[in-house]
Protein backbone atom coordinates (compact mmCIF):
# COMPACT_ATOMS: atom_id res chain seq x y z
CA UNK A 1 0.00 0.00 0.00
CA UNK A 2 1.28 3.45 -0.94
CA UNK A 3 1.20 6.24 1.63
CA UNK A 4 -0.76 8.64 -0.57
CA UNK A 5 -3.33 5.96 -1.33
CA UNK A 6 -3.84 5.29 2.37
CA UNK A 7 -4.27 8.99 3.15
CA UNK A 8 -6.80 9.43 0.32
CA UNK A 9 -8.86 6.41 1.37
CA UNK A 10 -8.69 7.37 5.06
CA UNK A 11 -9.79 10.91 4.29
CA UNK A 12 -12.69 9.68 2.17
CA UNK A 13 -13.76 7.38 4.98
CA UNK A 14 -13.60 10.18 7.56
CA UNK A 15 -15.36 12.67 5.31
CA UNK A 16 -18.21 10.45 4.17
CA UNK A 17 -18.83 8.24 7.23
CA UNK A 18 -20.73 10.94 9.12
CA UNK A 19 -21.95 13.19 6.33
CA UNK A 20 -25.12 11.72 4.77
CA UNK A 21 -23.42 10.89 1.46
CA UNK A 22 -22.43 7.18 1.86
CA UNK A 23 -18.81 6.34 2.70
CA UNK A 24 -19.04 2.94 1.00
CA UNK A 25 -20.17 4.50 -2.28
CA UNK A 26 -17.40 7.09 -2.28
CA UNK A 27 -14.70 4.55 -1.48
CA UNK A 28 -15.95 2.27 -4.28
CA UNK A 29 -16.11 5.23 -6.68
CA UNK A 30 -12.58 6.35 -5.84
CA UNK A 31 -11.28 2.81 -6.30
CA UNK A 32 -13.02 2.43 -9.65
CA UNK A 33 -11.94 5.82 -10.93
CA UNK A 34 -8.33 5.14 -10.00
CA UNK A 35 -8.54 1.78 -11.71
CA UNK A 36 -10.08 3.27 -14.85
CA UNK A 37 -7.50 6.03 -15.20
CA UNK A 38 -4.38 4.10 -14.14
CA UNK A 39 -5.24 0.46 -14.87
CA UNK A 40 -4.45 -0.40 -11.26
CA UNK A 41 -6.45 -0.71 -8.05
CA UNK A 42 -6.10 2.22 -5.64
CA UNK A 43 -5.69 -0.22 -2.76
CA UNK A 44 -2.92 -2.14 -4.54
CA UNK A 45 -2.70 -4.46 -1.55
CA UNK A 46 -3.37 -8.08 -0.77
CA UNK A 47 -6.68 -9.16 0.74
CA UNK A 48 -5.31 -9.46 4.28
CA UNK A 49 -3.90 -5.94 4.24
CA UNK A 50 -7.10 -4.60 2.71
CA UNK A 51 -9.19 -6.12 5.53
CA UNK A 52 -6.78 -4.80 8.16
CA UNK A 53 -6.73 -1.30 6.65
CA UNK A 54 -10.53 -1.26 6.53
CA UNK A 55 -10.61 -2.17 10.23
CA UNK A 56 -8.13 0.59 11.07
CA UNK A 57 -9.88 3.44 9.27
CA UNK A 58 -13.27 2.39 10.69
CA UNK A 59 -11.77 2.33 14.17
CA UNK A 60 -10.48 5.84 13.46
CA UNK A 61 -14.00 7.09 12.77
CA UNK A 62 -15.19 5.20 15.84
CA UNK A 63 -12.60 7.03 17.93
CA UNK A 64 -13.72 10.32 16.40
CA UNK A 65 -17.38 9.87 17.37
CA UNK A 66 -16.47 8.60 20.86
CA UNK A 67 -14.19 11.59 21.44
CA UNK A 68 -16.76 14.10 20.22
CA UNK A 69 -19.56 12.62 22.34
CA UNK A 70 -17.32 11.70 25.29
CA UNK A 71 -19.19 13.90 27.80
CA UNK A 72 -22.53 12.60 26.56
CA UNK A 73 -21.35 8.99 26.76
CA UNK A 74 -20.02 9.53 30.28
CA UNK A 75 -23.34 11.02 31.38
CA UNK A 76 -25.32 8.25 29.67
CA UNK A 77 -23.25 5.42 31.19
CA UNK A 78 -23.27 6.83 34.73
CA UNK A 79 -26.98 7.63 34.41
CA UNK A 80 -27.66 4.08 33.29
CA UNK A 81 -25.72 2.63 36.24
CA UNK A 82 -27.54 4.93 38.64
CA UNK A 83 -30.89 3.85 37.19
CA UNK A 84 -30.01 0.21 37.74
CA UNK A 85 -29.06 0.89 41.36
CA UNK A 86 -32.13 3.00 42.14
CA UNK A 87 -34.45 1.02 39.84
CA UNK A 88 -35.63 4.22 38.15
CA UNK A 89 -36.10 2.66 34.72
CA UNK A 90 -37.97 5.67 33.37
CA UNK A 91 -34.75 7.72 33.35
CA UNK A 92 -33.83 9.06 29.91
CA UNK A 93 -30.28 7.70 30.08
CA UNK A 94 -31.56 4.23 30.91
CA UNK A 95 -33.98 4.36 27.99
CA UNK A 96 -31.26 5.61 25.65
CA UNK A 97 -28.95 2.69 26.48
CA UNK A 98 -31.80 0.24 25.89
CA UNK A 99 -32.67 1.95 22.62
CA UNK A 100 -29.04 1.80 21.42
CA UNK A 101 -28.76 -1.86 22.43
CA UNK A 102 -32.02 -2.68 20.63
CA UNK A 103 -30.95 -0.79 17.51
CA UNK A 104 -27.63 -2.67 17.49
CA UNK A 105 -29.40 -6.04 17.61
CA UNK A 106 -31.83 -5.12 14.83
CA UNK A 107 -29.05 -3.66 12.68
CA UNK A 108 -26.90 -6.75 13.24
CA UNK A 109 -29.67 -9.15 12.21
CA UNK A 110 -30.46 -7.21 9.03
CA UNK A 111 -26.76 -6.77 8.28
CA UNK A 112 -26.10 -10.50 8.51
CA UNK A 113 -29.10 -11.29 6.30
CA UNK A 114 -28.01 -8.99 3.47
CA UNK A 115 -24.23 -9.21 3.96
CA UNK A 116 -23.54 -11.49 0.99
CA UNK A 117 -25.51 -9.51 -1.63
CA UNK A 118 -24.02 -6.29 -0.21
CA UNK A 119 -20.49 -7.59 -0.74
CA UNK A 120 -21.31 -8.56 -4.33
CA UNK A 121 -22.67 -5.08 -5.04
CA UNK A 122 -19.24 -3.58 -4.36
CA UNK A 123 -18.17 -5.11 -7.68
CA UNK A 124 -20.88 -3.16 -9.55
CA UNK A 125 -20.46 0.61 -9.09
CA UNK A 126 -23.33 1.36 -11.48
CA UNK A 127 -25.85 -0.31 -9.16
CA UNK A 128 -24.29 1.58 -6.24
CA UNK A 129 -25.09 4.77 -8.17
CA UNK A 130 -28.79 3.85 -8.00
CA UNK A 131 -28.61 3.35 -4.24
CA UNK A 132 -26.85 6.70 -3.82
CA UNK A 133 -29.49 8.34 -6.02
CA UNK A 134 -32.22 6.82 -3.84
CA UNK A 135 -30.41 8.13 -0.75
CA UNK A 136 -30.54 11.60 -2.26
CA UNK A 137 -34.29 11.33 -2.83
CA UNK A 138 -34.87 10.17 0.74
CA UNK A 139 -32.87 13.10 2.14
CA UNK A 140 -34.79 15.62 0.04
CA UNK A 141 -38.26 14.24 0.82
CA UNK A 142 -37.49 13.85 4.54
CA UNK A 143 -37.34 17.63 4.83
CA UNK A 144 -40.99 17.87 3.73
CA UNK A 145 -42.00 15.97 6.88
CA UNK A 146 -39.72 17.88 9.20
CA UNK A 147 -41.41 19.49 12.20
CA UNK A 148 -39.03 18.69 15.06
CA UNK A 149 -41.59 17.99 17.77
CA UNK A 150 -41.35 14.28 18.57
CA UNK A 151 -38.97 12.46 20.90
CA UNK A 152 -37.46 8.98 20.70
CA UNK A 153 -39.86 6.11 21.24
CA UNK A 154 -39.69 2.34 20.86
CA UNK A 155 -41.38 2.51 17.45
CA UNK A 156 -39.07 5.29 16.29
CA UNK A 157 -35.96 3.42 17.38
CA UNK A 158 -37.04 0.21 15.63
CA UNK A 159 -37.64 2.03 12.34
CA UNK A 160 -34.36 3.95 12.57
CA UNK A 161 -32.53 0.69 13.35
CA UNK A 162 -34.07 -0.95 10.28
CA UNK A 163 -32.82 1.98 8.19
CA UNK A 164 -29.35 1.56 9.69
CA UNK A 165 -29.40 -2.15 8.84
CA UNK A 166 -30.31 -1.45 5.21
CA UNK A 167 -27.33 0.92 5.01
CA UNK A 168 -25.12 -2.17 4.82
CA UNK A 169 -25.89 -1.98 1.10
CA UNK A 170 -23.19 0.21 -0.51
CA UNK A 171 -24.63 3.49 -1.73
CA UNK A 172 -27.10 3.78 1.14
CA UNK A 173 -25.77 6.31 3.63
CA UNK A 174 -25.99 5.08 7.24
CA UNK A 175 -26.18 8.56 8.71
CA UNK A 176 -28.40 9.74 5.86
CA UNK A 177 -30.98 6.97 6.18
CA UNK A 178 -31.12 7.09 9.98
CA UNK A 179 -31.40 10.89 10.21
CA UNK A 180 -33.92 11.02 7.36
CA UNK A 181 -36.02 8.27 8.97
CA UNK A 182 -36.04 10.23 12.22
CA UNK A 183 -37.15 13.34 10.32
CA UNK A 184 -39.92 11.37 8.60
CA UNK A 185 -41.09 10.42 12.09
CA UNK A 186 -41.09 14.05 13.22
CA UNK A 187 -37.85 14.31 15.21
CA UNK A 188 -35.64 17.35 15.53
CA UNK A 189 -32.64 17.39 13.13
CA UNK A 190 -30.01 17.81 15.83
CA UNK A 191 -31.55 15.18 18.12
CA UNK A 192 -31.88 12.82 15.17
CA UNK A 193 -28.21 13.28 14.26
CA UNK A 194 -27.11 12.84 17.88
CA UNK A 195 -28.95 9.54 18.19
CA UNK A 196 -27.71 8.45 14.77
CA UNK A 197 -24.09 9.01 15.78
CA UNK A 198 -24.51 7.46 19.23
CA UNK A 199 -26.16 4.33 17.82
CA UNK A 200 -23.32 4.05 15.31
CA UNK A 201 -20.73 3.42 18.05
CA UNK A 202 -21.49 -0.27 18.80
CA UNK A 203 -22.31 -0.93 15.13
CA UNK A 204 -19.01 0.49 13.85
CA UNK A 205 -17.16 -1.41 16.58
CA UNK A 206 -18.77 -4.73 15.73
CA UNK A 207 -18.63 -4.23 11.97
CA UNK A 208 -15.02 -3.03 11.86
CA UNK A 209 -13.43 -5.20 14.53
CA UNK A 210 -15.28 -8.24 15.77
CA UNK A 211 -16.48 -9.71 12.48
CA UNK A 212 -13.59 -8.81 10.12
CA UNK A 213 -10.97 -9.96 12.62
CA UNK A 214 -12.37 -13.49 12.26
CA UNK A 215 -11.37 -13.39 8.60
CA UNK A 216 -7.98 -11.79 9.21
CA UNK A 217 -4.78 -13.82 9.29
CA UNK A 218 -2.95 -12.12 12.19
CA UNK A 219 0.39 -13.64 11.15
CA UNK A 220 0.42 -11.43 8.04
CA UNK A 221 0.32 -8.11 9.93
CA UNK A 222 4.12 -7.85 10.18
CA UNK A 223 4.33 -7.63 6.39
CA UNK A 224 1.95 -4.67 6.05
CA UNK A 225 2.97 -1.08 5.29
CA UNK A 226 2.56 0.25 8.83
CA UNK A 227 3.51 3.84 7.96
CA UNK A 228 0.80 4.07 5.31
CA UNK A 229 -1.78 2.42 7.56
CA UNK A 230 -0.94 4.76 10.45
CA UNK A 231 -1.26 7.85 8.26
CA UNK A 232 -4.53 6.50 6.88
CA UNK A 233 -5.78 6.09 10.45
CA UNK A 234 -4.95 9.68 11.39
CA UNK A 235 -6.43 11.03 8.16
CA UNK A 236 -9.69 9.17 8.83
CA UNK A 237 -9.76 10.25 12.49
CA UNK A 238 -9.01 13.96 11.91
CA UNK A 239 -11.35 14.38 8.95
CA UNK A 240 -14.06 12.33 10.69
CA UNK A 241 -13.88 14.39 13.89
CA UNK A 242 -14.05 17.68 12.00
CA UNK A 243 -17.02 16.41 9.99
CA UNK A 244 -18.97 15.52 13.13
CA UNK A 245 -18.06 18.79 14.82
CA UNK A 246 -19.14 21.10 12.02
CA UNK A 247 -22.03 18.95 10.80
CA UNK A 248 -23.58 19.00 14.28
CA UNK A 249 -23.07 22.78 14.55
CA UNK A 250 -24.63 23.51 11.18
CA UNK A 251 -27.37 20.88 11.18
CA UNK A 252 -29.83 23.14 12.99
CA UNK A 253 -29.52 25.63 10.14
CA UNK A 254 -28.77 23.42 7.14
CA UNK A 255 -31.33 21.43 5.21
CA UNK A 256 -30.68 17.83 4.24
CA UNK A 257 -31.79 18.87 0.76
CA UNK A 258 -28.26 20.16 0.16
CA UNK A 259 -26.77 16.71 0.81
CA UNK A 260 -29.63 15.10 -1.10
CA UNK A 261 -28.85 17.25 -4.12
CA UNK A 262 -25.20 16.30 -3.89
CA UNK A 263 -26.09 12.57 -3.80
CA UNK A 264 -28.32 12.97 -6.85
CA UNK A 265 -25.65 14.84 -8.78
CA UNK A 266 -22.78 12.56 -7.76
CA UNK A 267 -24.72 9.39 -8.55
CA UNK A 268 -25.75 10.62 -12.00
CA UNK A 269 -22.25 11.84 -12.82
CA UNK A 270 -20.61 8.60 -11.70
CA UNK A 271 -23.18 6.48 -13.54
CA UNK A 272 -22.60 8.32 -16.83
CA UNK A 273 -18.84 8.18 -16.32
CA UNK A 274 -18.83 4.43 -15.67
CA UNK A 275 -21.19 3.82 -18.58
CA UNK A 276 -18.86 5.70 -20.91
CA UNK A 277 -15.65 3.99 -19.76
CA UNK A 278 -17.08 0.49 -19.56
CA UNK A 279 -18.44 0.79 -23.10
CA UNK A 280 -15.01 1.90 -24.27
CA UNK A 281 -13.42 -1.29 -22.91
Amino acid sequence: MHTLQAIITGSIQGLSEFLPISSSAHIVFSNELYNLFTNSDISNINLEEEIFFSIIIHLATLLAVVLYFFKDLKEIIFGFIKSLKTKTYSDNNFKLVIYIALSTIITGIIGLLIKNPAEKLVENPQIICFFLFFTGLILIFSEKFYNGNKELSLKTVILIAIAQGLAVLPGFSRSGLTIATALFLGMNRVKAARFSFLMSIPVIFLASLVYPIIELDISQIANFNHKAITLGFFASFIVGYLCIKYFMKLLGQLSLKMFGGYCLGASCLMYLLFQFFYHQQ
Side-chain angles (χ1 to χ4, degrees):
M1 173 186 293
H2 297 297
T3 300
L4 180 60
Q5 296 168 350
I7 293 174
I8 291 173
T9 306
S11 298
I12 292 173
Q13 167 66 23
L15 179 66
S16 53
E17 175 66 36
F18 300 112
L19 294 183
I21 58 175
S22 178
S23 61
S24 57
H26 282 74
I27 289 176
V28 169
F29 291 163
S30 65
N31 286 345
E32 289 294 324
L33 288 174
Y34 191 90
N35 184 50
L36 287 171
F37 288 111
T38 67
N39 263 342
S40 61
D41 191 346
I42 191 172
S43 60
N44 195 29
I45 53 178
N46 60 45
L47 181 60
E48 296 296 329
E49 191 171 10
E50 185 175 5
I51 293 174
F52 184 74
F53 184 66
S54 177
I55 293 172
I56 291 300
I57 60 176
H58 277 84
L59 287 177
T61 52
L62 173 62
L63 179 61
V65 71
V66 168
L67 184 62
Y68 183 83
F69 287 105
F70 183 77
K71 290 183 179 179
D72 297 64
L73 290 171
K74 184 178 178 181
E75 180 182 340
I76 292 168
I77 292 171
F78 280 108
F80 177 76
I81 295 173
K82 182 179 179 181
S83 295
L84 289 177
K85 291 180 177 179
T86 59
K87 297 182 179 180
T88 52
Y89 303 128
S90 60
D91 180 78
N92 287 335
N93 289 318
F94 180 84
K95 288 182 179 179
L96 186 56
V97 172
I98 299 301
Y99 286 159
I100 292 175
L102 177 62
S103 70
T104 302
I105 294 171
I106 295 173
T107 299
I109 293 172
I110 296 174
L112 288 174
L113 290 175
I114 63 177
K115 172 183 174 293
N116 290 333
E119 290 178 345
K120 292 179 180 178
L121 284 176
V122 172
E123 301 172 2
N124 194 328
Q126 291 169 300
I127 293 181
I128 294 176
C129 290
F130 283 108
F131 284 124
L132 185 61
F133 186 88
F134 189 62
T135 294
L137 292 178
I138 292 174
L139 293 175
I140 291 171
F141 283 109
S142 69
E143 286 289 342
K144 295 183 178 294
F145 292 83
Y146 177 66
N147 57 49
N149 295 324
K150 295 186 179 179
E151 298 292 333
L152 277 174
S153 66
L154 182 60
K155 176 185 175 182
T156 302
V157 170
I158 291 173
L159 292 174
I160 294 174
I162 292 172
Q164 181 169 247
L166 293 175
V168 171
L169 295 168
F172 279 155
S173 166
R174 191 207 64 79
S175 61
L177 290 188
T178 52
I179 294 173
T181 300
L183 262 61
F184 275 120
L185 297 171
M187 283 188 65
N188 174 279
R189 280 199 205 102
V190 176
K191 289 182 178 179
R194 179 177 180 269
F195 181 66
S196 172
F197 292 148
L198 288 175
M199 71 187 290
S200 76
I201 293 175
V203 170
I204 294 176
F205 175 78
L206 293 172
S208 65
L209 184 62
V210 176
Y211 178 78
I213 211 165
I214 297 174
E215 300 182 354
L216 183 65
D217 184 357
I218 304 296
S219 65
Q220 298 294 320
I221 292 179
N223 300 321
F224 299 163
N225 186 338
H226 299 292
K227 177 182 177 181
I229 291 173
T230 301
L231 290 174
F233 172 87
F234 281 110
S236 182
F237 167 72
I238 293 170
V239 175
Y241 182 85
L242 291 175
C243 277
I244 300 173
K245 180 179 179 180
Y246 291 105
F247 182 59
M248 289 297 295
K249 285 184 177 181
L250 296 174
L251 195 55
Q253 305 170 2
L254 291 177
S255 167
L256 291 182
K257 291 181 181 179
M258 180 180 72
F259 297 102
Y262 169 82
C263 290
L264 295 181
S267 61
C268 291
L269 178 61
M270 289 298 103
Y271 181 81
L272 293 174
L273 196 62
F274 291 137
Q275 279 283 88
F276 173 78
F277 277 105
Y278 287 149
H279 284 156
Q280 296 299 312
Q281 294 179 351

